Amino acid sequence: MYKTRVLQQNYHNSKLKDTTKTWCYQTIHTILNNQTYLGKMVQHKDIKISYKDKKKRRLPKEQWIIVDNTHEPIIDQETFDRVQAIQKIKRKSVNTEYSDNIFAGILFCADCKHAMNRAYAKENKKGSIGYICKIYKTMGKKYCPSHMIKNEELEEAVLSSIKNEARKILTEDDISDLDKVQKIDSREQFYKKQIQIVDAELEKYQKFKKRAFTGYMEEMITPQEYRSYVAEYEEEISKLERQKEEILTKLADENSLQNQHDEWVEAFKDYINIEKLTRDVVIELIEKIEVHEDGGLDIYYRFRNPFQVAN
């Protein structure tokens, strides 16, 4: 529609349906994986099989030519990478009124690490009642103990965990975390000041080198003196450059902690009073869930507060 109405091109879509004008799955899939939206130019994706034939063969991604920053991006790298990760989650569509299978591709056995399969009641084949370890179900307890959890128990536990994680943002206990954030800000300013001092010293020794060269050219100092001065100045410059690199590393570590904290707050701030789980919420917040034999859960969130000690 854009090509015909806006660009006024003589374009015909053979797959166009009369009933709808919405994009098909393949179109959306192509858009979600298109690095052009990241501001990159991607070339050499296909190659002709023969100069006599118009047919092309798709090349492996490692052979593509990708050039960064060729134009302004409309999506950031973090969001693009997040979309790629979501697409890799294996999921199976379940057409049933009993469950929408919101944990597909995320639920695993804590012992054998294999995926949990949906469990069905013998007298009711229409809907699942929960999840069971795939290895136990197919191979028996000789290979893995029984790991079974009901839908209601799983959803209630995950919902409670998300609420607890979200409420940590506003609890009194989080004040200590805020203090740590303030300390990071203070250290960040300290490191930036240290870098300014080191840069000033570097500039000073660079000037000393230039003066030594001028003195040598004007025969104010001997060649031996010139070499001695330059060696001394270059040694100091090397020390200062190593010192600056160490400070930059510490500054990067501080910024990383701050970014992790900000991401954690941003991810959970809207779920303090969440009442119902959805597939979107689960995918956004949770990387994986492992189920123990006693029904206990290990929930691995995609975001964490770096100032909280893991339990």
Side-chain angles (χ1 to χ4, degrees):
M1 291 174 67
Y2 178 80
K3 288 179 178 179
T4 56
R5 295 184 183 180
V6 180
L7 301 181
Q8 299 293 313
Q9 293 183 359
N10 184 19
Y11 173 78
H12 174 68
N13 183 1
S14 60
K15 298 181 180 180
L16 186 66
K17 295 180 173 60
D18 295 331
T19 54
T20 179
K21 306 299 183 200
T22 57
W23 288 336
C24 66
Y25 166 84
Q26 185 56 48
T27 300
I28 296 174
H29 178 76
T30 301
I31 291 172
L32 294 179
N33 292 276
N34 191 346
Q35 296 187 66
T36 302
Y37 301 125
L38 287 170
K40 301 182 179 183
M41 180 175 65
V42 184
Q43 295 177 313
H44 195 57
K45 295 193 294 184
D46 304 287
I47 188 172
K48 281 189 176 182
I49 298 176
S50 170
Y51 72 92
K52 298 179 180 179
D53 196 339
K54 292 184 179 181
K55 291 182 180 179
K56 293 183 179 181
R57 174 173 60 86
R58 177 55 58 103
L59 292 171
K61 287 187 177 181
E62 55 269 19
Q63 295 184 25
W64 293 3
I65 298 174
I66 303 176
V67 183
D68 296 335
N69 303 317
T70 57
H71 54 278
E72 184 178 355
I74 63 172
I75 194 76
D76 60 87
Q77 186 70 52
E78 182 181 355
T79 304
F80 185 85
D81 293 341
R82 182 77 186 88
V83 170
Q84 308 315 302
I86 290 175
Q87 290 183 92
K88 291 179 181 178
I89 298 176
K90 295 181 179 179
R91 69 192 84 182
K92 187 175 181 181
S93 177
V94 179
N95 185 17
T96 171
E97 60 181 306
Y98 296 93
S99 174
D100 57 359
N101 200 14
I102 61 177
F103 298 103
I106 289 178
L107 206 60
F108 298 90
C109 171
D111 289 327
C112 70
K113 306 301 181 183
H114 282 80
M116 300 281 286
N117 281 359
R118 293 165 72 78
Y120 298 88
K122 294 182 179 179
E123 67 277 6
N124 182 7
K125 298 291 184 180
K126 292 184 178 180
S128 73
I129 58 172
Y131 296 84
I132 190 169
C133 171
K134 176 182 178 180
I135 298 300
Y136 171 80
K137 182 178 180 181
T138 57
M139 304 178 69
K141 61 182 180 181
K142 179 180 178 180
Y143 296 90
C144 190
S146 171
H147 293 65
M148 170 72 184
I149 187 167
K150 293 182 179 179
N151 288 326
E152 296 79 8
E153 295 173 355
L154 176 61
E155 292 191 20
E156 182 179 348
V158 173
L159 190 63
S160 176
S161 176
I162 291 175
K163 281 184 177 181
N164 289 336
E165 192 71 14
R167 287 169 181 168
K168 289 177 185 176
I169 300 172
L170 301 179
T171 61
E172 291 296 324
D173 294 338
D174 201 48
I175 292 177
S176 61
D177 295 335
L178 295 176
D179 290 339
K180 292 174 184 176
V181 173
Q182 292 172 355
K183 289 178 181 178
I184 279 185
D185 290 339
S186 176
R187 286 199 296 267
E188 181 179 353
Q189 295 303 317
F190 170 76
Y191 290 140
K192 287 181 177 179
K193 184 65 177 177
Q194 290 297 307
I195 290 173
Q196 290 176 0
I197 294 173
V198 172
D199 283 340
E201 286 292 298
L202 281 169
E203 185 178 356
K204 181 178 72 174
Y205 280 102
Q206 292 289 359
K207 288 180 179 179
F208 286 169
K209 280 183 63 177
K210 290 181 179 178
R211 289 176 185 173
F213 181 73
T214 301
Y216 168 67
M217 294 299 293
E218 295 179 355
E219 299 183 350
M220 297 172 63
I221 59 175
T222 65
Q224 292 82 2
E225 288 175 324
Y226 171 69
R227 287 194 292 269
S228 176
Y229 290 148
V230 169
E232 179 183 344
Y233 298 153
E234 287 183 343
E235 183 180 355
E236 289 298 325
I237 289 172
S238 295
K239 289 180 181 178
L240 288 167
E241 287 177 341
R242 289 195 297 270
Q243 184 179 347
K244 182 178 179 179
E245 191 64 33
E246 291 173 0
I247 297 172
L248 287 171
T249 299
K250 292 177 180 178
L251 180 60
D253 291 341
E254 299 293 344
N255 288 335
S256 176
L257 288 176
Q258 181 65 67
N259 290 337
Q260 288 181 44
H261 184 270
D262 292 345
E263 288 177 349
W264 171 73
V265 171
E266 188 65 27
F268 285 96
K269 69 179 182 180
D270 296 328
Y271 299 114
I272 295 174
N273 297 312
I274 184 173
E275 296 297 333
K276 181 176 176 58
L277 280 181
T278 65
R279 175 69 176 177
D280 289 341
V281 172
V282 172
I283 286 292
E284 179 185 356
L285 299 180
I286 300 174
E287 183 176 341
K288 67 176 178 178
I289 302 172
E290 292 185 347
V291 182
H292 290 270
E293 186 177 2
D294 61 359
L297 301 178
D298 291 333
I299 302 176
Y300 298 86
Y301 288 107
R302 297 187 180 277
F303 309 93
R304 69 181 186 89
N305 183 350
F307 306 123
Q308 290 178 353
V309 179
N311 296 325

